[in-house]
Amino acid sequence: MSTMTDSLVLARRNLIRMKRIPEVVLFGLIQPIMFVVLFTYVFGGSIQVGGSLSQQTYREFLMAGIFAQTVTFATAGAGAGIADDMHKGLIDRFRSLPMARGAVLTGRTLADLVQTTLTLIVLALVALLIGWRTHENIGKVVAGFALLLLLGYAFSWIGALIGLTVRTPEAATSGGLIWLFPLTFISNAFVDSNKLPTVFRHIAEWNPFSTTVQAARELFGNLPPGFKTPDAWPMQHPIIASVLWSVLILVFFRTLAVRKYRKAAG
């Protein structure tokens, strides 16, 4: 309980910081909105999914991928924030306080989760304005967003580990993004993975990012008519696979990050 209390106190500290620097949240919104507009209106009529070139079909197919990309790109912010605290010596100040060692990282990742949730809400409203619709009940839609946020929270611990490993916030930002681009583009986020070259198709089908995108599409009712689901197990059971991937990533990287923090603060 004391660890959770300490984590919530530090999460509040990070939320206050975000409130005082609103441009961080604003800039975090601009990129996903640009991706929505770019892919919907520039590429939407030329990318075929489920045997259809309909812009509306592609718009609904696309949005789960944009949502997933948005929550995972928050990884860079988590890493940069922790690297900044390390660089300024704030972590050394926390060491002098009677608090749980892991609370510093948990507080940061929880604050990032709140920011990601707000970004996702705004992005969903923008998507509704341009014509995105869900075709399942509210319970399934909420479950879809919950899976997306779980993936984003798990990835924020990767960002935490990167932030503890590098020496500057700039390096943390670069290190938090450089591996995300191949992860998100070698996936089913923007195109039908069945149309990818063989090697890339297998990577996409077992990609944890793709798994969550597929699960969200099913829960939102956004799979195109005539869409052929790949035979790989994660694509056939995306909801279960998404939870398993996210929990595995969360446990593994949280363990490494807390261990790294203890060494850095020891």
Side-chain angles (χ1 to χ4, degrees):
M1 288 300 296
S2 65
T3 299
M4 181 55 66
T5 301
D6 293 343
S7 299
L8 292 176
V9 169
L10 288 165
R12 182 173 178 272
R13 170 252 176 189
N14 286 296
L15 289 173
I16 291 173
R17 183 184 182 186
M18 292 175 187
K19 181 180 177 181
R20 292 175 179 173
I21 314 176
E23 55 267 28
V24 174
V25 180
L26 179 62
F27 291 152
L29 282 170
I30 292 175
Q31 179 177 292
I33 291 174
M34 287 176 59
F35 269 106
V36 171
V37 174
L38 177 67
F39 278 90
T40 299
Y41 295 108
V42 178
F43 302 125
S46 58
I47 298 179
Q48 185 176 9
V49 289
S52 172
L53 282 172
S54 165
Q55 197 171 71
Q56 178 62 27
T57 299
Y58 182 69
R59 184 180 295 122
E60 294 188 354
F61 177 86
L62 170 71
M63 284 315 304
I66 295 292
F67 291 146
Q69 185 189 56
T70 300
V71 300
T72 53
F73 271 37
T75 300
I82 291 172
D84 187 50
D85 287 343
M86 294 283 289
H87 185 67
K88 291 179 178 178
L90 187 61
I91 299 299
D92 292 331
R93 299 176 194 173
F94 287 148
R95 286 174 55 196
S96 66
L97 299 175
M99 67 167 67
R101 289 290 179 92
V104 174
L105 302 180
T106 303
R108 177 74 209 193
T109 54
L110 287 176
D112 289 331
L113 179 62
V114 173
Q115 180 181 345
T116 302
T117 302
L118 295 175
T119 302
L120 207 56
I121 291 172
V122 174
L123 186 59
L125 294 175
V126 172
L128 289 171
L129 289 175
I130 66 169
W132 171 67
R133 296 292 182 267
T134 59
H135 305 285
E136 295 288 353
N137 60 60
I138 187 64
K140 288 187 175 182
V141 173
V142 171
F145 281 112
L147 285 180
L148 290 165
L149 289 172
L150 178 61
L151 180 72
Y153 184 66
F155 271 52
S156 70
W157 282 99
I158 302 178
L161 181 61
I162 293 172
L164 291 168
T165 303
V166 300
R167 296 182 180 182
T168 64
E170 293 80 9
T173 302
S174 300
L177 287 175
I178 193 170
W179 59 275
L180 279 173
F181 279 101
L183 183 78
T184 55
F185 281 95
I186 306 177
S187 72
N188 61 356
F190 307 111
V191 297
D192 183 353
S193 61
N194 290 307
K195 294 181 170 58
L196 293 174
T198 303
V199 175
F200 287 159
R201 186 178 72 248
H202 290 313
I203 294 173
E205 290 171 353
W206 287 88
N207 185 341
F209 182 85
S210 295
T211 304
T212 301
V213 171
Q214 182 76 3
R217 284 190 183 125
E218 284 195 4
L219 292 168
F220 294 156
N222 286 160
L223 288 175
F227 179 79
K228 183 181 181 300
T229 302
D231 294 330
W233 186 86
M235 296 293 101
Q236 292 291 328
H237 307 87
I239 297 174
I240 297 173
S242 176
V243 173
L244 291 175
W245 266 122
S246 295
V247 171
L248 181 63
I249 293 169
L250 174 59
V251 172
F252 181 74
F253 282 97
R254 186 186 189 281
T255 302
L256 292 181
V258 172
R259 186 177 299 171
K260 182 74 175 178
Y261 173 77
R262 286 174 176 167
K263 289 181 179 179

Coordinates of all heavy atoms in Angstrom, one line a residue, residues 198-229:
T198 N 6.3 -12.4 -47.8 CA 6.2 -13.5 -46.9 C 6.8 -13.3 -45.6 O 6.2 -13.5 -44.5 CB 6.7 -14.8 -47.6 OG1 6.1 -15.1 -48.8 CG2 6.6 -16.0 -46.6
V199 N 8.1 -12.8 -45.6 CA 8.8 -12.6 -44.4 C 8.2 -11.6 -43.5 O 7.9 -11.7 -42.3 CB 10.3 -12.2 -44.6 CG1 11.0 -11.9 -43.3 CG2 11.0 -13.4 -45.3
F200 N 7.8 -10.4 -44.1 CA 7.2 -9.4 -43.4 C 5.8 -9.8 -42.9 O 5.3 -9.3 -41.9 CB 7.1 -8.1 -44.3 CG 8.4 -7.4 -44.5 CD1 8.5 -6.5 -45.6 CD2 9.4 -7.6 -43.6 CE1 9.8 -5.9 -45.8 CE2 10.6 -6.9 -43.8 CZ 10.8 -6.1 -44.9
R201 N 5.1 -10.6 -43.7 CA 3.8 -11.1 -43.3 C 3.8 -11.9 -42.0 O 3.0 -11.6 -41.1 CB 3.1 -11.9 -44.4 CG 1.7 -12.3 -44.0 CD 1.0 -13.1 -45.2 NE 1.5 -14.4 -45.2 CZ 2.2 -14.9 -46.2 NH1 2.6 -14.1 -47.3 NH2 2.7 -16.2 -46.2
H202 N 4.8 -12.8 -41.9 CA 4.9 -13.6 -40.6 C 5.3 -12.7 -39.5 O 4.8 -12.9 -38.3 CB 6.0 -14.6 -40.8 CG 5.6 -15.7 -41.8 ND1 4.3 -16.3 -41.7 CD2 6.2 -16.3 -42.9 CE1 4.2 -17.2 -42.7 NE2 5.4 -17.2 -43.4
I203 N 6.2 -11.7 -39.7 CA 6.6 -10.8 -38.6 C 5.3 -10.0 -38.2 O 5.1 -9.9 -37.0 CB 7.7 -9.8 -39.1 CG1 9.0 -10.5 -39.4 CG2 7.9 -8.7 -38.1 CD1 10.0 -9.7 -40.0
A204 N 4.6 -9.5 -39.1 CA 3.4 -8.7 -38.8 C 2.3 -9.6 -38.0 O 1.7 -9.1 -37.1 CB 2.7 -8.2 -40.1
E205 N 2.2 -10.8 -38.4 CA 1.2 -11.7 -37.7 C 1.5 -12.0 -36.3 O 0.6 -12.2 -35.5 CB 1.0 -12.9 -38.6 CG 0.3 -12.7 -39.9 CD 0.3 -14.0 -40.8 OE1 1.0 -15.0 -40.4 OE2 -0.3 -13.9 -41.9
W206 N 2.8 -12.0 -35.9 CA 3.2 -12.3 -34.6 C 3.7 -11.0 -33.8 O 4.1 -11.1 -32.7 CB 4.3 -13.3 -34.6 CG 3.8 -14.7 -34.9 CD1 3.7 -15.2 -36.1 CD2 3.3 -15.6 -34.0 NE1 3.1 -16.5 -36.1 CE2 2.9 -16.8 -34.8 CE3 3.1 -15.7 -32.6 CZ2 2.3 -17.9 -34.2 CZ3 2.6 -16.8 -32.0 CH2 2.2 -17.9 -32.8
N207 N 3.5 -9.9 -34.4 CA 3.8 -8.6 -33.8 C 2.8 -8.3 -32.8 O 1.6 -8.3 -33.0 CB 3.8 -7.5 -35.0 CG 4.2 -6.2 -34.5 OD1 4.2 -5.9 -33.3 ND2 4.6 -5.3 -35.4
P208 N 3.2 -8.0 -31.5 CA 2.2 -7.6 -30.5 C 1.4 -6.4 -30.8 O 0.2 -6.3 -30.4 CB 3.1 -7.4 -29.2 CG 4.5 -7.2 -29.8 CD 4.6 -8.0 -31.0
F209 N 2.0 -5.5 -31.6 CA 1.3 -4.3 -32.1 C 0.1 -4.7 -33.0 O -1.0 -4.3 -32.8 CB 2.2 -3.4 -32.8 CG 1.6 -2.1 -33.3 CD1 1.5 -1.0 -32.5 CD2 1.2 -2.0 -34.6 CE1 1.0 0.2 -32.9 CE2 0.6 -0.8 -35.1 CZ 0.5 0.3 -34.2
S210 N 0.4 -5.6 -33.9 CA -0.6 -6.1 -34.9 C -1.8 -6.8 -34.1 O -2.9 -6.7 -34.5 CB 0.0 -7.1 -35.9 OG 0.9 -6.4 -36.7
T211 N -1.4 -7.6 -33.1 CA -2.3 -8.3 -32.4 C -3.4 -7.4 -31.7 O -4.6 -7.7 -31.7 CB -1.6 -9.2 -31.3 OG1 -0.7 -10.0 -31.9 CG2 -2.6 -10.1 -30.5
T212 N -2.9 -6.4 -31.1 CA -3.8 -5.4 -30.4 C -4.7 -4.7 -31.4 O -5.9 -4.4 -31.2 CB -3.0 -4.4 -29.6 OG1 -2.3 -5.2 -28.6 CG2 -4.0 -3.5 -28.9
V213 N -4.1 -4.3 -32.6 CA -4.9 -3.7 -33.7 C -6.0 -4.6 -34.1 O -7.1 -4.2 -34.3 CB -3.9 -3.3 -34.8 CG1 -4.8 -2.9 -36.0 CG2 -3.0 -2.2 -34.4
Q214 N -5.7 -5.9 -34.3 CA -6.7 -6.9 -34.8 C -7.8 -7.0 -33.7 O -9.0 -7.1 -34.1 CB -6.0 -8.2 -35.1 CG -6.9 -9.3 -35.6 CD -7.3 -9.1 -37.1 OE1 -6.8 -8.2 -37.7 NE2 -8.1 -10.0 -37.6
A215 N -7.4 -7.1 -32.5 CA -8.4 -7.2 -31.4 C -9.3 -6.0 -31.3 O -10.5 -6.1 -31.2 CB -7.6 -7.4 -30.0
A216 N -8.7 -4.8 -31.5 CA -9.5 -3.6 -31.4 C -10.5 -3.5 -32.6 O -11.6 -3.1 -32.5 CB -8.6 -2.3 -31.5
R217 N -10.0 -4.0 -33.8 CA -10.9 -4.0 -35.0 C -12.1 -4.9 -34.7 O -13.2 -4.6 -35.1 CB -10.1 -4.4 -36.2 CG -9.2 -3.3 -36.8 CD -8.7 -3.7 -38.1 NE -7.8 -2.7 -38.6 CZ -6.5 -2.9 -39.0 NH1 -6.0 -4.1 -38.9 NH2 -5.8 -1.8 -39.4
E218 N -11.8 -6.1 -34.1 CA -12.9 -7.0 -33.9 C -13.9 -6.4 -32.9 O -15.1 -6.5 -33.0 CB -12.4 -8.3 -33.3 CG -11.7 -9.2 -34.4 CD -11.5 -10.6 -33.9 OE1 -11.9 -11.0 -32.8 OE2 -10.9 -11.4 -34.7
L219 N -13.4 -5.8 -31.8 CA -14.2 -5.2 -30.8 C -15.0 -4.0 -31.2 O -16.1 -3.7 -30.7 CB -13.4 -4.9 -29.5 CG -12.8 -6.1 -28.8 CD1 -11.8 -5.8 -27.8 CD2 -14.0 -6.9 -28.1
F220 N -14.4 -3.2 -32.2 CA -15.1 -2.1 -32.7 C -16.0 -2.5 -33.9 O -16.9 -1.6 -34.3 CB -14.1 -1.1 -33.3 CG -13.2 -0.4 -32.3 CD1 -12.0 0.1 -32.6 CD2 -13.6 -0.4 -30.9 CE1 -11.1 0.7 -31.7 CE2 -12.7 0.2 -30.0 CZ -11.5 0.7 -30.3
G221 N -15.9 -3.7 -34.4 CA -16.7 -4.1 -35.5 C -16.2 -3.4 -36.8 O -17.0 -3.1 -37.7
N222 N -14.9 -3.2 -36.9 CA -14.3 -2.5 -38.1 C -13.6 -3.4 -39.0 O -12.8 -2.9 -39.9 CB -13.4 -1.5 -37.6 CG -14.0 -0.2 -37.0 OD1 -13.4 0.5 -36.2 ND2 -15.3 0.0 -37.3
L223 N -13.8 -4.7 -39.0 CA -13.2 -5.6 -40.0 C -14.0 -5.5 -41.3 O -15.2 -5.6 -41.3 CB -13.2 -7.1 -39.5 CG -12.2 -7.4 -38.4 CD1 -12.4 -8.9 -37.9 CD2 -10.8 -7.2 -38.8
P224 N -13.3 -5.2 -42.4 CA -14.0 -5.0 -43.7 C -14.8 -6.3 -44.1 O -14.4 -7.4 -43.8 CB -12.9 -4.7 -44.6 CG -11.7 -4.3 -43.8 CD -11.9 -5.1 -42.5
P225 N -15.9 -6.1 -44.9 CA -16.6 -7.2 -45.5 C -15.6 -8.0 -46.4 O -14.9 -7.4 -47.2 CB -17.7 -6.6 -46.3 CG -17.9 -5.2 -45.6 CD -16.5 -4.8 -45.2
G226 N -15.6 -9.3 -46.3 CA -14.8 -10.1 -47.1 C -13.3 -10.2 -46.7 O -12.5 -10.8 -47.4
F227 N -13.0 -9.6 -45.5 CA -11.6 -9.7 -45.0 C -11.2 -11.1 -44.6 O -12.0 -11.7 -43.8 CB -11.5 -8.7 -43.8 CG -10.1 -8.7 -43.2 CD1 -9.1 -7.9 -43.8 CD2 -9.8 -9.3 -42.0 CE1 -7.8 -7.9 -43.3 CE2 -8.6 -9.3 -41.5 CZ -7.6 -8.6 -42.1
K228 N -10.1 -11.5 -45.0 CA -9.6 -12.9 -44.7 C -8.6 -12.8 -43.5 O -7.5 -12.2 -43.6 CB -8.9 -13.5 -45.9 CG -8.4 -14.9 -45.6 CD -7.7 -15.5 -46.8 CE -7.3 -17.0 -46.6 NZ -6.3 -17.1 -45.4
T229 N -9.0 -13.3 -42.4 CA -8.2 -13.3 -41.2 C -7.0 -14.2 -41.4 O -7.2 -15.4 -41.7 CB -8.9 -13.6 -39.9 OG1 -10.0 -12.7 -39.8 CG2 -8.1 -13.6 -38.7

